[in-house]
Amino acid sequence: INAEYMGEKGASTVDPISADFRERVVQPKLREHFKRDEFIGRINEILYFLPFTQKELQELAIRELDKWKQNAHKRHGIDLTWDEDVVAMLAGAYNVRYGARSIQHEVERKLVSKLAKAHERDQIGKGSTIRVGLTADGEDVNLFKS
């Protein structure tokens, strides 16, 4: 059964899993695994994890960017801004197998490592304002110092 954590914001009070789906798909999987009904009877609750929507993926990307924005400002006095297409590119890096971590890793790989290198080379520092944009091919990020 495909699974992803929806988080508090994405949680819905409406049960999106139909009774038919539970009977046709979930129950046979439980019977196949546990073999005996007395084991299945001990299951109190089943949590279903649904894939993220595109909007939720973008919210995750923004949340991750905000985390690093606060970090950069607090630790180094650097202000970060980003273009909307950066959010879309990062959200597009989502991999259902790795879940939300795939977006975290993409932000670290594409943005944080570049910021760290630029900071080490004294290209950016306290008081810098950095705008994050996409490269011409849309596959990577560029840092623009204001």
Side-chain angles (χ1 to χ4, degrees):
I1 299 172
N2 189 13
E4 275 308 309
Y5 177 71
M6 287 182 63
E8 224 173 274
K9 278 188 175 181
S12 173
T13 55
V14 177
D15 183 5
I17 308 300
S18 70
D20 181 53
F21 177 80
R22 282 182 236 158
E23 288 302 313
R24 280 186 311 102
V25 177
V26 177
Q27 288 300 322
K29 290 282 186 191
L30 290 173
R31 282 189 191 94
E32 179 185 317
H33 180 75
F34 291 109
K35 310 283 191 243
R36 296 172 38 191
D37 286 338
E38 55 266 26
F39 291 130
I40 296 171
R42 292 177 181 255
I43 297 172
N44 295 330
E45 185 176 8
I46 297 174
L47 298 177
Y48 297 93
F49 294 91
L50 303 175
F52 290 112
T53 65
Q54 191 59 36
K55 182 180 179 207
E56 290 168 333
L57 291 172
Q58 289 186 346
E59 287 175 13
L60 287 170
I62 290 169
R63 187 178 296 173
E64 192 66 17
L65 287 167
D66 279 337
K67 178 182 88 172
W68 287 105
K69 176 181 180 172
Q70 291 173 8
N71 230 355
H73 184 73
K74 187 175 170 181
R75 291 185 178 179
H76 305 288
I78 298 170
D79 291 320
L80 285 179
T81 61
W82 51 83
D83 300 340
E84 283 299 313
D85 53 357
V86 171
V87 173
M89 185 268 300
L90 293 170
Y94 175 71
N95 181 324
V96 72
R97 172 176 252 162
Y98 300 109
R101 283 194 184 94
S102 57
I103 292 176
Q104 291 174 326
H105 292 304
E106 193 73 356
V107 170
E108 290 171 9
R109 191 170 71 82
K110 298 254 178 163
L111 173 63
V112 178
S113 61
K114 287 186 180 187
L115 286 170
K117 284 180 188 175
H119 191 264
E120 284 177 357
R121 296 175 180 156
D122 291 325
Q123 295 170 332
I124 60 174
K126 194 172 189 96
S128 295
T129 299
I130 306 299
R131 181 179 63 82
V132 182
L134 289 184
T135 56
D137 63 5
E139 297 292 319
D140 205 356
V141 296
N142 272 335
L143 305 179
F144 302 98
K145 189 174 178 182
S146 305

